[in-house]
């Protein structure tokens, strides 16, 4: 390892040292070690109190400071040496013939990362040919300096080490006379032993030292024991030149080798050779180091020990060739001698398992004028092809095709590839029906039997809805943020219409189900009274209860059934939600559904490639006839490369008669539950099979939902919202163009955006109105409609209440009385308040239909107030829309008439 020069440390005044340190700071940051003179040039008096010794060493013989000479650094680090002197006031090495003090070098170093190497011309050439940026082989060995290392003088000296001036000899003598000393070889090559005299040891090998000293001591003493060892070894100066990353002169330990110096100096630069590093001594090349031997084989036989004034010369890189593709180490390699294709493959570690060993692609530069491409067969003659400078080789990959194999995929237990053999048929890879059950099917079924733990941690409860929360600038009590009453009718009426009519107002967003369900309460029923005190109706409470009951999540990732994820707001759902809300802890909902897509028994297919025309064709077969009927005509013979695909009903929409249908009956049935239905079974047949209706069934308030209807409704709803958005934007543009004031009201734009956002949250429920009459009872009234998978039929019990909501003095729920009419219930609610729009009142029937005042208009009078009310109906009194004040209209018309008058006056003047 490297060490500072073995000279003594002179006392340097602190003020002068600080001055010089400040001047050298830029060099330290750049990693440069300039030559520093140790002689003090300061005018500071060394005897003054302001001048301090910059080190803790004793005075030296030659009065000079031990700094490394110009270069990038040494093992102990030239930069690190000066920094430690400035920061800690310590000396790394104190080594002289007159002192025995020496401090241990700090071996903890910070990682030094060198900047990335620029691309050489050969790398750019290889990238243009192969599309890959290849590294230069072996360059990563010197990308960073070692993080920690020990000084080379702390390791035992080898037997062939030659002593020289500056080496320290540890001499221990005992017997009649005792002596224990640390003796330094002086400049004459001798050590001085008391009572014995000078003993010349320079030039001796370590294994000869003890015998030589013992022979000289015998002239003086008899009957003694002697132990001779080496202490601190001398330092030598070497030079790193040529294509080195950090060339310069380095002070190194006498035990340092070529590799020690190369690692500290950063090794060759990007243009330097890794295969012909020379050690020159007295004008001759004494060794040549090939780093490829070290990297590939760990061979350090050419890593010789350095001597004083040795020069490490790094020549420019020799010829290079690039190897890419399916080899273990694709890179740019330096060639040495007549390197062949086989030799380069050996350097790269051979082919990877996906590499083709039959041939290799070669691109060559012909006489520095043009490029040529060729293919080299990897036989004995091809591997012996001699490479040239600039050759680019690419190891091809093997073909991705599977030979003599058949692939089966799709809806089955074990998809994969199977070896093909002559006479192979479909029955060989699809042995029975059970092989078509997928792994997902069994995972879903096995998950149902997971036991429930005895104790579970409490789940945090979501905060309840607060009435002070605002939505779109309106609080729940009907007051806007600026204190004005919002008299619009869109919140208090349309939310109820959409609920009962088959659209869930502000249904849950797919990503935030719970939060959207919370907000739907405010947005469905947001009516306000003239006093600003909005009383929450029982219908609002029912919706809230329904949403609270949906907060119980299904464990193990099970999805809720479609009929419980969205509330349609019908009488049946309200009763179910109210019943669930009264239960203390619902827990996990048990669902019955098809665990995995079922097999399409009527169609499967073989994909086959014609080896002559290379065209694909499809050969269908019937899995049911193959596996259940064992029809030989469906047991087709397979060919190599065939791909057999087993489809499920999720892949292809099959006829309704072939689908498995689960229909849910809930409410007032004698056998409520989930039933599988046959292809020709109708709703009336299913109800009869379930035992019929109970005595409390109220068919008029029943609801029937279907998934296919929900999808169609949602599509039409989205189209409607898009058209409304376009219409509102167009209207705003027209108003802005026709207005005298070019400034557009920002509040109006915000309101429009809020309205569109609210409309986009609407979710269809898929409800189909069956048009039951209020007096409908029994299974004979149920229509005979075909059933689909996922249908839900809910029949509530006969209610005893009627709702009155909207712009009345007291929104409330009243007991049903067959003698009362609309005006009677409105009178019970306190009659209409001043902001009520009585001409647009309407009734939401229990079956979801709407009966409005316009519909009740007759020839002589309107019979809406005398309309009959059924159990479960809701009477809605909307609010009047906000109209401009009379003064504002008067001002607008005045401005319009004045404009006409001015125009007429201008025309009369022009005519005159």
């Amino acid at each position: 390892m490297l060490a500072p020069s073995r000279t003594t440390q002179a006392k340097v005044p602190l003020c002068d040292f600080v001055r010089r340190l400040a001047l050298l700071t830029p060099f330290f940051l750049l990693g440069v070690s300039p030559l520093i003179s140790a002689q003090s040039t300061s005018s500071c008096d060394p005897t003054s109190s302001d001048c301090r010794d910059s080190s803790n060493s004793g005075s030296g013989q030659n009065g000079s400071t031990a700094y490394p000479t110009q270069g990038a650094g040494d093992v102990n680090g030239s930069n690190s040496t000066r920094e430690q002197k400035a920061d800690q006031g310590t000396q790394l090495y104190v080594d002289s013939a007159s002192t025995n003090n020496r401090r241990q070098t700090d071996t903890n170093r910070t990682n030094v990362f060198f900047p990335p190497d620029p691309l050489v011309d050969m790398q750019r050439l290889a990238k243009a040919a192969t599309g890959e940026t290849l590294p230069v082989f072996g360059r990563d060995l010197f990308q960073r300096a070692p993080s920690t290392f020990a000084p080379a003088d702390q390791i035992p000296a080898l037997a062939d080490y030659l002593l020289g001036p500056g080496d320290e000899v540890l001499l221990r003598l005992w017997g009649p006379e005792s002596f224990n000393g640390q003796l330094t070889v002086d400049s004459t090559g001798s050590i001085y032993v008391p009572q014995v005299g000078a003993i010349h040891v320079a030039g001796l090998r370590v294994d000869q030292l003890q015998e030589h000293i013992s022979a000289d001591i015998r002239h003086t003493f008899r009957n003694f024991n002697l132990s001779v060892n080496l202490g601190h070894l001398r330092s030598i100066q070497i030079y790193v030149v040529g294509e080195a990353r950090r060339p310069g002169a380095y002070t190194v330990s006498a035990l340092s080798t070529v590799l020690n110096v190369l690692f500290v100096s950063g090794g060759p630069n990007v243009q330097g050779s890794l295969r012909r590093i020379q050690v020159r001594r007295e004008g001759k090349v004494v060794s040549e180091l090939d780093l490829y031997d070290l990297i590939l084989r760990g061979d350090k036989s050419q890593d010789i020990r350095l001597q004083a004034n040795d020069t490490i010369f790094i020549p420019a890189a020799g010829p290079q060739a690039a190897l890419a593709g399916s080899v273990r180490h694709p890179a740019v390699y330096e060639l040495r001698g007549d390197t062949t294709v086989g030799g380069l493959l050996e350097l790269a570690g051979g082919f990877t398992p996906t590499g083709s060993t039959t041939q290799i692609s070669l691109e060559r530069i012909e006489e520095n004028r043009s490029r040529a491409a060729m293919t080299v067969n990897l036989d004995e003659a091809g591997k012996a092809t001699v490479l040239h400078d600039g050759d680019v080789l690419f190891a091809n990959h093997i073909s991705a095709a599977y030979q003599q194999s058949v692939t089966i995929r799709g809806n089955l237990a074990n998809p994969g590839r199977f070896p093909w053999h002559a006479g192979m048929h479909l029955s060989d890879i699809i042995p029975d029906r059970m092989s078509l059950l997928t792994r997902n099917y069994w995972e879903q079924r096995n998950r149902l039997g997971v036991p429930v733990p005895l104790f579970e941690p409490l789940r945090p409860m979501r905060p309840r809805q607060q009435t002070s929360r605002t939505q779109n600038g309106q609080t729940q009590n009907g007051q806007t943020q600026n204190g004005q009453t919002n008299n619009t009718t869109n919140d208090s009426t349309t939310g109820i219409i959409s609920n009962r009519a088959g659209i869930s107002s502000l249904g849950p967003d797919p990503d935030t189900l719970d939060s959207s369900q919370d907000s739907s309460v405010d947005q469905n029923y947001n009516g306000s009274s003239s006093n600003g005190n909005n009383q929450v109706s029982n219908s609002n409470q029912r919706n809230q209860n329904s949403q609270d009951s949906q907060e119980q999540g299904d464990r193990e990732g099970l999805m809720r059934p479609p009929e419980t994820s969205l509330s349609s707001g019908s009488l049946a759902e309200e009763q179910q939600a109210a019943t669930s809300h009264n239960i203390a802890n619902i827990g996990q909902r048990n669902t019955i559904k098809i665990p995995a897509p079922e097999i399409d028994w009527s169609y499967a297919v073989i994909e086959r490639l014609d080896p002559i025309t290379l065209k694909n064709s499809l050969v269908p077969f019937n899995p049911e006839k193959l596996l259940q009927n064992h029809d030989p005509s469906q047991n087709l013979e397979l060919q190599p490369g065939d791909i057999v695909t087993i489809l499920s009903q999720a892949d292809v929409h099959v006829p309704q008669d072939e689908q498995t249908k689960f229909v849910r009956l809930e409410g007032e049935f004698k056998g409520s539950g989930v039933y599988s239905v046959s292809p020709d079974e109708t709703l009336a047949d299913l109800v009869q099979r379930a035992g019929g209706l109970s005595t409390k069934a109220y068919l008029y308030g029943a609801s029937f939902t279907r998934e296919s209807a929900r999808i169609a409704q949602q599509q039409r709803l989205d189209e409607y919202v898009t058209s409304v958005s376009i219409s509102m934007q167009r209207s705003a543009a027209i108003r802005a163009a026709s207005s005298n004031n070019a400034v557009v009201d920002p509040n109006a734009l915000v309101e429009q955006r809020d309205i569109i956002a609210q409309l986009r949250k609407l979710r269809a429920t898929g409800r189909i109105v069956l048009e039951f009459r209020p007096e409908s009872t029994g299974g004979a009234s149920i229509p005979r409609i075909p059933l689909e998978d996922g249908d839900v039929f809910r029949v509530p019990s006969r209610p005893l209440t009627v709702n009155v909501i909207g712009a009345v003095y007291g929104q409330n729920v009243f007991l049903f009385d067959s003698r009362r009419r609309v005006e009677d219930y409105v009178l019970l609610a306190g009659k209409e308040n001043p902001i009520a729009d009585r001409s647009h009142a309407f009734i939401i029937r229990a079956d979801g239909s709407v009966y409005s005042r316009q519909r009740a208009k007759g020839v002589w009078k309107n019979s809406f107030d005398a309309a009959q009310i059924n159990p479960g109906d809701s009477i809605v009194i909307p609010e009047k829309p906000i109209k401009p004040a009379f003064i504002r209209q008067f001002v607008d018309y005045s401005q319009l008439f004045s404009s006409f008058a001015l125009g007429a006056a201008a025309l009369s003047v022009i005519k005159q």
Side-chain angles (χ1 to χ4, degrees), residues 21 76 86 117 269 393 441 493 500 557 654 702 725 762 787 891:
L21 180 63
N76 300 310
D117 295 327
N269 60 24
L393 293 88
Y441 172 83
T493 60
R500 289 290 179 84
V654 300
S725 176
L762 295 177
L787 297 174
V891 172

Side-chain angles (χ1 to χ4, degrees), residues 480-492:
T480 59
Q481 293 180 357
N482 57 6
Q484 298 178 356
T485 303
N486 191 344
N487 296 329
T488 57
T489 61
N490 56 348
D491 287 340
S492 61

Side-chain angles (χ1 to χ4, degrees), residues 653-661 679 787-789:
H653 187 71
V654 300
Q656 286 286 338
D657 292 346
E658 297 183 12
Q659 296 179 11
T660 300
K661 305 172 186 177
L787 297 174
E788 296 182 6
D789 182 38

Side-chain angles (χ1 to χ4, degrees), residues 497-504 568 713 763-769 848:
I497 294 174
S498 60
N499 274 344
R500 289 290 179 84
I503 297 177
S504 176
S568 62
Q713 289 175 1
R763 293 293 179 266
T765 61
R767 182 177 181 183
I768 299 176
V769 178

Side-chain angles (χ1 to χ4, degrees), residues 534-740:
N534 184 14
Q535 302 179 8
V536 181
S537 67
N538 191 38
S539 179
N540 293 7
Q541 186 64 32
R542 289 175 183 175
N543 262 3
Q544 180 66 44
N545 296 343
S546 175
Q547 291 154 8
D548 290 343
S549 65
Q550 294 170 9
E551 291 175 7
Q552 302 293 335
D554 292 340
R555 278 181 294 180
E556 304 293 340
L558 294 177
M559 297 296 295
R560 294 189 181 96
E563 62 271 11
T564 61
S565 61
L566 294 174
S567 174
S568 62
S570 66
L571 181 61
E573 277 82 5
E574 291 176 4
Q575 288 189 0
Q576 181 189 18
T579 303
S580 301
H581 184 69
N582 293 330
I583 302 176
N585 186 11
I586 299 177
Q588 178 183 356
R589 292 181 181 271
N590 295 315
T591 61
I592 300 175
K593 58 184 179 180
I594 302 175
E598 295 189 339
I599 301 169
D600 182 3
W601 286 104
S602 62
Y603 179 84
V605 67
I606 301 174
E607 302 175 52
R608 181 168 292 169
L609 177 67
D610 191 329
I612 299 176
T613 62
L614 299 181
K615 292 184 178 181
N616 286 291
S617 60
L618 300 179
V619 182
F621 64 94
N622 191 301
E624 182 178 8
K625 294 180 180 180
L626 172 65
L627 297 176
Q628 297 183 9
N629 303 331
H630 303 285
D631 187 352
S633 64
Q634 300 299 316
N635 191 15
L636 303 179
E637 184 176 359
L638 298 175
Q639 297 181 8
D642 282 354
I643 300 176
V644 182
T645 303
I646 306 298
L647 300 175
S648 69
Q649 295 183 9
D651 302 321
V652 177
H653 187 71
V654 300
Q656 286 286 338
D657 292 346
E658 297 183 12
Q659 296 179 11
T660 300
K661 305 172 186 177
F662 286 177
V663 177
R664 196 179 192 93
L665 300 181
E666 293 184 352
E668 296 300 323
F669 298 95
K670 292 183 179 180
S672 299
V674 181
Y675 293 86
S676 61
V677 297
S678 58
D680 298 330
E681 194 169 9
T682 64
L683 179 61
D685 298 335
L686 179 61
V687 173
Q688 183 179 2
R689 181 156 63 95
L693 301 172
S694 67
T695 57
K696 296 183 179 180
Y698 186 50
L699 281 178
Y700 187 62
S703 70
F704 182 79
T705 58
R706 174 166 290 178
E707 180 63 18
S708 59
R710 186 196 65 81
I711 296 174
Q713 289 175 1
Q714 188 63 47
Q715 183 177 0
R716 300 296 179 269
L717 180 62
D718 294 339
E719 294 175 355
Y720 168 73
V721 173
T722 301
S723 64
V724 170
S725 176
I726 296 174
S727 177
M728 294 179 69
Q729 294 176 1
R730 180 178 178 84
S731 300
I734 293 175
R735 286 196 302 269
S738 60
S739 176
N740 293 331

Side-chain angles (χ1 to χ4, degrees), residues 9 38 53 56 58 65 165 264 625 634 696 750 764 792:
Q9 187 82 345
D53 188 359
N56 296 331
T65 304
V264 176
K625 294 180 180 180
Q634 300 299 316
K696 296 183 179 180
V750 171
V792 180

